[in-house]
Amino acid sequence: MLNFLNKTKSILPKIRHFTSTSSLRTTTENLPKENESQLTKVTEKIAPEPPIILTQNFDTYEPAQVTDSRQVWIENIDDVQERKLGIIELHPDVFAIQPRVDVIHENIEWQRKYRFVSFAHSKTRAEVRGGGRKPWPQKGTGRARHGSIRSPIFRGGGKAHGPRSPTTHFYMLPFFKRVMGLTATLSVKLAQDDLRIIKDVEIPSGDHQFIKDLIIERNWGPSVLIVDKEDIFPENICVATDKLSYVNLMPAYSLNTYSMLKHDTLVLTINAVKHIEERLLYQLHRSDSFAKNAPFKLSQV
């Protein structure tokens, strides 16, 4: 123990006055060999992370045109200043198809109507109060014959063919039109430079000002949709975006055409991109596509 303390006393004065790398090098040369290895571990700088290069494997799902593959930068989100962490290659059948504006419009109309229920209601002649007795005799008065003052042709009478509640507007869009709506919207977002890829959703703090500065620095927005594979997001990003109504978090399984078009910038994590590609490519190349084209039945819900 005493020998260890003596060695520590001989090292500490030399370490206390380090001012530059050259002085550190000269001091290291004068140290004993058993302490040199310990000092090297302490003073060793952290090596920068290697760039992330994610290529596309076309063996499972071969694209229609390999030359149409897209490459996107992978950005960081742990700092306001933008850094390029790597590059990812996207599958052309998902992110580089010819946009079908008509299919995108059909998806938007379907999403707006399929859950809408109209509660507009008008009363018929049987539901309006009054009008129980015959207003005048059938014959002898010279007037037109009527049986009730609540007839639709009378003022204050019932409605002949008015709306009846509840009225559902539910209908189901064909399966492959829904799939094409997702691929077309992703392709449009990428073509308009509104698609950003990030490594993960880990941010250093839960301050909402950090997200505001990040959006301004990266030219995102004004509305941003952040998508990750998992539906449980880290605490910091949940707290930071809680007060920002124009920044929303969404798991990959909830991604839809309406939400992507509602937000100006779509931010996907690497895991979300892989999950979306895997699911959409499976649907585009599934063997039972004929059964999916059958008319929708409520028993399928």
Side-chain angles (χ1 to χ4, degrees), residues 32 45 55 61 64 74 97 109 125 230 255 261 266 279 282 292:
K45 294 183 178 180
T55 59
Y61 301 107
I74 301 174
I97 69 168
E109 288 299 311
R125 60 182 295 170
E230 305 297 334
L255 191 64
L261 292 182
L266 177 63
R279 297 303 302 163
Y282 169 75
K292 284 294 180 180

Side-chain angles (χ1 to χ4, degrees), residues 155-169:
R155 184 176 180 271
K159 190 73 174 176
H161 302 287
R164 308 292 292 174
S165 68
T167 303
T168 176
H169 291 258

Side-chain angles (χ1 to χ4, degrees), residues 8 15-16 110 131 214 260 293:
T8 307
I15 299 179
R16 191 177 296 117
W110 167 66
L214 184 70
M260 285 191 285
N293 286 327

Side-chain angles (χ1 to χ4, degrees), residues 201-216:
V201 290
E202 292 288 348
I203 60 176
S205 67
D207 187 9
H208 67 279
Q209 189 62 39
F210 177 84
I211 298 294
K212 286 185 177 180
D213 297 339
L214 184 70
I215 292 174
I216 295 174

Side-chain angles (χ1 to χ4, degrees), residues 77-283:
I77 201 177
D78 57 350
D79 191 11
V80 175
Q81 298 296 328
E82 181 179 357
R83 297 196 318 272
K84 305 298 185 183
L85 304 180
I87 197 169
I88 182 172
E89 187 177 12
L90 305 178
H91 202 284
D93 287 351
V94 179
F95 293 93
I97 69 168
Q98 184 69 25
R100 289 282 302 273
V101 182
D102 57 331
V103 175
I104 295 177
H105 174 73
E106 289 183 13
N107 276 267
I108 296 299
E109 288 299 311
W110 167 66
Q111 285 192 248
R112 294 178 62 182
K113 290 182 178 179
Y114 82 95
R115 57 183 177 180
F116 175 70
V117 177
S118 176
F119 290 95
H121 183 85
S122 62
K123 294 182 179 180
T124 63
R125 60 182 295 170
E127 297 170 340
V128 179
R129 179 182 175 85
R133 72 177 181 88
K134 192 175 179 65
W136 48 79
Q138 181 83 359
K139 295 178 179 293
T141 61
R143 307 178 69 177
R145 52 195 178 189
H146 290 285
S148 172
I149 62 172
R150 299 309 180 201
S151 174
I153 63 177
F154 276 82
R155 184 176 180 271
K159 190 73 174 176
H161 302 287
R164 308 292 292 174
S165 68
T167 303
T168 176
H169 291 258
F170 174 83
Y171 71 97
M172 187 56 67
L173 200 66
F175 177 77
F176 286 102
K177 278 195 175 181
R178 286 177 273 157
V179 175
M180 188 181 296
L182 292 173
T183 56
T185 308
L186 288 171
S187 301
V188 169
K189 283 292 183 181
L190 179 60
Q192 295 178 345
D193 198 22
D194 290 331
L195 176 64
R196 304 300 177 93
I197 309 296
I198 59 177
K199 182 180 178 182
D200 50 37
V201 290
E202 292 288 348
I203 60 176
S205 67
D207 187 9
H208 67 279
Q209 189 62 39
F210 177 84
I211 298 294
K212 286 185 177 180
D213 297 339
L214 184 70
I215 292 174
I216 295 174
E217 179 68 23
R218 308 289 179 88
N219 293 324
W220 294 357
S223 57
V224 181
L225 178 63
I226 303 176
V227 181
D228 193 16
K229 180 182 178 181
E230 305 297 334
D231 54 0
I232 300 178
F233 285 77
E235 180 180 359
N236 285 343
I237 195 168
C238 292
V239 175
T241 58
D242 188 36
K243 297 181 179 179
L244 303 178
S245 59
Y246 52 88
V247 181
N248 294 315
L249 307 177
M250 179 180 289
Y253 60 76
S254 298
L255 191 64
N256 57 86
T257 303
Y258 184 83
S259 297
M260 285 191 285
L261 292 182
K262 183 180 179 180
H263 297 80
D264 294 273
T265 303
L266 177 63
V267 181
L268 304 177
T269 62
I270 296 177
N271 293 333
V273 171
K274 293 181 178 179
H275 179 73
I276 293 170
E277 284 186 344
E278 179 185 356
R279 297 303 302 163
L280 290 180
L281 289 173
Y282 169 75
Q283 302 299 342

Side-chain angles (χ1 to χ4, degrees), residues 16-35:
R16 191 177 296 117
H17 300 287
F18 288 164
T19 57
S20 63
T21 309
S22 59
S23 61
L24 180 61
R25 189 182 298 110
T26 55
T27 308
T28 307
E29 294 173 354
N30 299 330
L31 291 176
K33 291 184 177 181
E34 61 268 15
N35 296 329

